[in-house]
Amino acid sequence: MLALLRLLALLVAASLSVVRPAFAQAEDFISPEILILGDSQITFGSGPAFLEFFTDIKKHCHPNDQQKQNLQRLGEMRVGVIGVRSSSIHTWTARSGRSKDVICKEDRKWRVNAGTYGFVNMSDNRYVQIGKGKEYQFCAPQRSAFEVMFREDYYDPKLLLMSFLGNSAKRWAKSEEAAIEDVENMMEQLPGDVPCIFMTTAPAYKKEIVDLRLKAQKNLMSAFEKTGSRCTFVPGSTPQTVAANQGNKHYFRLNKNGMVKDPFHPNTAAAKNFFALEMNGICGAIFEQIESSTPEG
């Protein structure tokens, strides 16, 4: 009987070690006040631009006195930027299956699936695997990455910006109902008191890619309106940004022959120009969200 009790104790301890290590690693975690979540555009170009812009909002947005006071709610403005490979809204809200695997399953080839910057990554290597390290404990059985990330004792941003489009372009372009479903699931899982901005990603190089994403963006914008989402929507594909990126090979990575080898991910120079063109929209969204979440009186 004593041997049986010891065996049961060992089994219980082993089961706890399987379920709990992710949360245990996050015990001394400090949340960034500003959190940017996106896809592989962050890893391959826009990550540093996001970090620079949001680290010094006052310099870029030129707030008035009241807006400066409201920005104080962001505290020290610890900024974290996380971009996960082929991710989008439905991958962050999925509780199981292939969609969740995009976030939580280790990449077989590279052993990393994300690029991170700022307060959540102080190392010289921007590449990480979600699930490894106290900053990236977003995975638990039968729970979505959002549900785990925004649990009570973990990520608690004062401003959240999400930037997605390409990996759901076909899904949203084909069906506004799918876009509505994704927005509804997202809003159900986000903390109700976190100011949020949703900005679609920068335009691609090829016209056919841009055209598909413009249709997807239109349906997604409509979904935000029809669901009454409290997040501010900022379209990343505008006449100005499309004119800047589409067909401009200098804004994309080139091969040795000078041809565009990656038409999906604008480079760092393109990201800087994108933020310059989107400045008013981003700043307006920031002030709208911060002001709406500021208690009166």
Side-chain angles (χ1 to χ4, degrees), residues 223-289:
F224 270 79
E225 294 172 354
K226 291 183 177 180
T227 60
S229 171
R230 59 182 174 78
C231 296
T232 300
F233 188 93
V234 179
S237 291
T238 67
Q240 293 76 25
T241 60
V242 170
N245 284 18
Q246 183 177 299
N248 183 359
K249 69 176 186 178
H250 300 293
Y251 276 175
F252 294 85
R253 289 184 292 166
L254 308 177
N255 59 28
K256 293 181 180 179
N257 296 325
M259 303 297 290
V260 172
K261 66 177 181 180
D262 181 358
F264 297 99
H265 301 101
N267 59 27
T268 301
K272 291 180 180 179
N273 187 61
F274 176 77
F275 272 84
L277 293 173
E278 291 281 277
M279 187 83 68
N280 291 339
I282 298 171
C283 292
I286 292 170
F287 294 137
E288 177 181 311
Q289 285 294 314

Side-chain angles (χ1 to χ4, degrees), residues 48-115:
F50 269 114
L51 179 62
E52 194 277 331
F53 185 96
F54 280 89
T55 298
D56 198 348
I57 293 175
K58 293 179 182 179
K59 181 183 74 174
H60 294 292
C61 293
H62 309 295
N64 59 35
D65 290 340
Q66 181 60 49
Q67 290 168 338
K68 287 180 182 178
Q69 292 180 17
N70 292 335
L71 284 176
Q72 295 303 317
R73 297 185 61 252
L74 298 181
E76 298 176 1
M77 295 190 180
R78 296 187 296 262
V79 182
V81 183
I82 301 174
V84 181
R85 55 179 179 188
S86 302
S87 63
S88 191
I89 295 176
H90 66 280
T91 54
W92 286 89
T93 60
R95 296 187 174 100
S96 62
R98 292 182 178 180
S99 293
K100 182 179 179 179
D101 287 348
V102 171
I103 306 293
C104 294
K105 191 173 183 178
E106 182 177 84
D107 186 280
R108 292 183 178 180
K109 181 177 182 180
W110 303 107
R111 303 303 180 190
V112 291
N113 70 343

Side-chain angles (χ1 to χ4, degrees), residues 7-290:
L7 177 60
L8 289 173
L10 288 172
L11 290 174
V12 170
S15 66
L16 289 175
S17 69
V18 170
V19 174
R20 298 187 60 185
F23 292 172
Q25 290 181 45
E27 287 180 356
D28 59 346
F29 174 79
I30 299 175
S31 175
E33 276 102 358
I34 301 175
L35 175 63
I36 292 94
L37 292 177
D39 57 22
S40 53
Q41 277 206 8
I42 283 178
T43 305
F44 297 115
S46 66
F50 269 114
L51 179 62
E52 194 277 331
F53 185 96
F54 280 89
T55 298
D56 198 348
I57 293 175
K58 293 179 182 179
K59 181 183 74 174
H60 294 292
C61 293
H62 309 295
N64 59 35
D65 290 340
Q66 181 60 49
Q67 290 168 338
K68 287 180 182 178
Q69 292 180 17
N70 292 335
L71 284 176
Q72 295 303 317
R73 297 185 61 252
L74 298 181
E76 298 176 1
M77 295 190 180
R78 296 187 296 262
V79 182
V81 183
I82 301 174
V84 181
R85 55 179 179 188
S86 302
S87 63
S88 191
I89 295 176
H90 66 280
T91 54
W92 286 89
T93 60
R95 296 187 174 100
S96 62
R98 292 182 178 180
S99 293
K100 182 179 179 179
D101 287 348
V102 171
I103 306 293
C104 294
K105 191 173 183 178
E106 182 177 84
D107 186 280
R108 292 183 178 180
K109 181 177 182 180
W110 303 107
R111 303 303 180 190
V112 291
N113 70 343
T116 64
Y117 304 81
F119 189 72
V120 295
N121 187 355
M122 298 299 187
S123 73
D124 294 329
N125 183 9
R126 68 175 183 265
Y127 301 112
V128 303
Q129 171 62 46
I130 299 302
K132 296 183 178 180
K134 64 182 180 180
E135 295 87 358
Y136 316 115
Q137 299 303 316
F138 307 153
C139 304
Q142 303 306 311
R143 297 176 70 186
S144 74
F146 270 169
E147 289 172 327
V148 178
M149 170 182 267
F150 296 117
R151 67 183 186 268
E152 184 175 349
D153 60 343
Y154 202 29
Y155 273 79
D156 183 28
K158 307 307 178 188
L159 178 65
L160 169 66
L161 183 144
M162 296 163 284
S163 179
F164 300 102
L165 180 60
N167 297 297
S168 286
K170 291 182 180 179
R171 173 180 172 86
W172 294 336
K174 182 179 179 181
S175 170
E176 185 180 331
E177 288 71 25
I180 290 174
E181 178 184 356
D182 287 349
V183 174
E184 288 178 338
N185 289 338
M186 178 184 73
M187 298 314 300
E188 286 177 2
Q189 295 186 20
L190 292 181
D193 60 345
V194 175
C196 54
I197 299 168
F198 192 100
M199 183 172 70
T200 48
T201 50
Y205 176 74
K206 294 182 178 180
K207 184 179 186 301
E208 56 266 32
I209 301 173
V210 172
D211 288 346
L212 177 68
R213 294 186 180 187
L214 283 170
K215 186 175 182 180
Q217 178 179 269
K218 180 180 178 181
N219 283 346
L220 184 63
M221 185 183 302
S222 177
F224 270 79
E225 294 172 354
K226 291 183 177 180
T227 60
S229 171
R230 59 182 174 78
C231 296
T232 300
F233 188 93
V234 179
S237 291
T238 67
Q240 293 76 25
T241 60
V242 170
N245 284 18
Q246 183 177 299
N248 183 359
K249 69 176 186 178
H250 300 293
Y251 276 175
F252 294 85
R253 289 184 292 166
L254 308 177
N255 59 28
K256 293 181 180 179
N257 296 325
M259 303 297 290
V260 172
K261 66 177 181 180
D262 181 358
F264 297 99
H265 301 101
N267 59 27
T268 301
K272 291 180 180 179
N273 187 61
F274 176 77
F275 272 84
L277 293 173
E278 291 281 277
M279 187 83 68
N280 291 339
I282 298 171
C283 292
I286 292 170
F287 294 137
E288 177 181 311
Q289 285 294 314
I290 297 299

